[in-house]
Amino acid sequence: MASKAKSGNSFVETIKTIVYALLIAGVFRTLFFQPFWIPSGSMKETLLIGDFLFVNKMAYGYSYASCPSLIIPRFGIDIDAEDVCGWMKGDNTRILGGTPERGDVVVFRHPVSGRDFIKRLIGLPGDRIQVKDGVLHINDTAVQLEDNGVFEETAEAQGPQRLRPRCENGPVGDGGVCQKSRQIETLPNGVSHKILNIGNQASDHTGVYTVPEGYYFFMGDNRDNSSDSRLPQSAGGVGYVPYENLIGRADRIMFSSAGRSMLFFWTWRSDRFFKGVE
């Protein structure tokens, strides 16, 4: 009998340990850092498909979007942050709110779908944003651009979603060299970063966007392969993003894998481990 009682107590203690561990992990993820895996190429070459990073949630304070989502389609689990913290949504404010800076790489909740996106913050509240002939203009002034050679990658399916890169040098067969023009863009506050261009398209010629108070304007660094604030939400884009939808700032890549799974160690990109996000 004593042996059964001891076994029962051990089982209960194990369950308690698991529950406590999950609670601690949930609090940590809600308040401090949230893991994020780069699924697409919209932020190349700053972020590559398969980069893994932690999002600094303390940078901008907390809102309903700070609550973690748990989505595992295979097991029918779809718990959204709004399901847990939706009571905080609606006033477009934050607790211990910090001010985002132009040029930050930010993870945010899409205003319509609720899915997490990662883009670069380009427009602040009140800014006038326009793209003319592929050149970003902020408050009617063109940003500084400097040619920076060519970005090259292998033309092949990338990441778990097996996405193929778009190439400036035309359709490229499997294993070929896919090229994009690269420039260094410097924003009005002095933040410089690399951007890529593929060709002339509609997103290179836009009207003027006036960013509303309490909202932000985001763009991907891979300019011709990014669904961002240049496209309104009604057309499937991101549009203006409210302050309360910001999740946090991406500061450093912790791990990177070029393969379909992080377990494929031969595809690890060790040169990107612990690399700062610029």
Side-chain angles (χ1 to χ4, degrees), residues 15 17 51 58 74-75 108 130-131 138 147-149 162 164 187 207 239 241 249 267 277:
I15 295 299
T17 300
D51 283 348
M58 297 176 284
R74 181 181 300 179
F75 299 103
F108 58 88
Q130 186 175 19
V131 181
I138 300 177
D147 290 337
N148 190 240
R162 314 309 292 153
R164 292 189 60 84
L187 301 176
V241 178
R249 186 181 65 217
T267 66
V277 177

Side-chain angles (χ1 to χ4, degrees), residues 242-261:
Y243 181 46
E244 66 178 349
N245 278 42
L246 307 187
I247 294 174
R249 186 181 65 217
D251 292 331
R252 188 168 299 275
I253 300 165
M254 304 303 295
F255 173 83
S256 185
S257 172
R260 297 182 64 177
S261 169

Side-chain angles (χ1 to χ4, degrees), residues 191-247:
V191 173
S192 295
H193 55 275
K194 296 174 182 176
I195 62 170
L196 303 180
N197 294 286
I198 300 172
N200 186 22
Q201 58 187 51
S203 57
D204 292 323
H205 314 276
T206 74
V208 176
Y209 306 93
T210 301
V211 186
E213 194 64 34
Y215 287 76
Y216 295 89
F217 190 97
F218 291 92
M219 294 175 66
D221 289 351
N222 191 1
R223 290 289 162 82
D224 294 336
N225 195 37
S226 174
S227 175
D228 50 41
S229 293
R230 289 171 290 178
L231 193 63
Q233 296 160 15
S234 59
V238 170
Y240 304 121
V241 178
Y243 181 46
E244 66 178 349
N245 278 42
L246 307 187
I247 294 174

Side-chain angles (χ1 to χ4, degrees), residues 100-126:
E101 296 184 8
R102 195 191 312 276
D104 285 356
V105 176
V106 180
V107 174
F108 58 88
R109 277 176 60 91
H110 189 284
V112 176
S113 71
R115 298 308 186 212
D116 292 349
F117 274 53
I118 185 165
K119 305 288 181 184
R120 190 175 298 276
L121 175 54
I122 297 296
L124 304 175

